[in-house]
Amino acid sequence: MTWLITGGAGYIGAHVARAMAEAGERVVALDDLSAGVPTRLPSDIPLVHGSAGDDDLLKRVLAEHAVTGVVHLAARKQVAESVAQPTRYYQENLGGLATLLEAVAGAGVGRFLFSSSAAVYGNPDVDLITEDTVCAPVNPYGETKLAGEWLVRAAGRAHGIATTCLRYFNVAGAAAPELADTGVFNIVPMVFDRLTRDEAPRIFGDDYPTPDGTCVRDYIHVADLAEAHLAAARRLSAPEASGDLTVNIGRGEGVSVRELVTLIGEVTGDSRPAVVEPRRPGDAPRAVASAARAADELGWTARRGTREMVESAWQGWQLHRGR
């Protein structure tokens, strides 16, 4: 197998590319570098600069590298941005995916691994979210991920492509400081950013029906996530691989926002009290994965805890955005 990883120089993509290459898989990365950083990839992983929506480029890359499987990570992924720019999200996330699947089918590539999201579920009122929980996304980002799953499965059925969709929960941490997330869009770097600017962390709402009143989430270390991709890719590589599989990628354990902010204070040495602000629209009180199917189908379970996520993310933050 040779795997094309779209978005391969991004925060998650570089972790996936490295994990797969270190395990002996042949990989080639494709990235338009709008968010990707070339130096995240070792020199022995080829990096093609371009878009996953460029049909001519895709045909050339698939042929030149004799690609036999695709891991599709390239996408826009900010919820607030998707609300403000829904047409852009539909055009890039779904239009680009359609172009990629056409190229994959035309080249006879038989394996496709799709990066999806727990955002497809919306705000279900359940203790653990299983893959059979009703999907009801509440923002355009989640809608494009759910529609992307539909498109992947439909293309798989039409063209005999074995497909897998991985629904990520909240990703954090870094396998090495240089691979850390450099954006300020998720809760851990958002708190780091506030502390670095000598400001108190913010908690949006403390009156939810949870033990401490703050939202509860399932956090997954990005290195565990990368290992989940490796497990899914190897399952797809089996000669008998066919059909489709949809799997949650999480730890199956809930951590409240207040617990996470307290832990960040311990790790950084800056434990100033958080400022409580009004709830944000659309935030679910609880979103925790059932990780049973991942264990059963992929033989994979998360190995790293929340403290390891925060400590590794802090090391990366200090490298890239130190005080």
Side-chain angles (χ1 to χ4, degrees), residues 62-127:
L62 293 173
E64 288 180 356
H65 293 274
V67 171
T68 50
V70 172
V71 179
H72 183 46
L73 294 150
R76 303 203 69 82
K77 61 177 185 177
Q78 302 306 325
V79 169
E81 184 182 62
S82 79
V83 174
Q85 303 177 40
T87 54
R88 182 183 187 186
Y89 268 66
Y90 273 82
Q91 287 170 347
E92 295 193 25
N93 287 5
L94 288 177
L97 174 59
T99 299
L100 176 59
L101 287 167
E102 284 283 352
V104 163
V109 175
R111 307 289 185 265
F112 197 93
L113 178 54
F114 179 59
S115 165
S116 189
S117 167
V120 301
Y121 294 114
N123 298 332
D125 185 16
V126 294
D127 187 48

Side-chain angles (χ1 to χ4, degrees), residues 143-161:
E143 292 166 3
T144 64
K145 283 300 184 181
L146 181 57
E149 290 187 12
W150 296 340
L151 182 54
V152 166
R153 296 186 195 109
R157 291 190 297 269
H159 302 290
I161 303 168

Side-chain angles (χ1 to χ4, degrees), residues 13 52 98 139 190 235 274:
N139 53 64
M190 286 174 67
R235 185 183 187 277

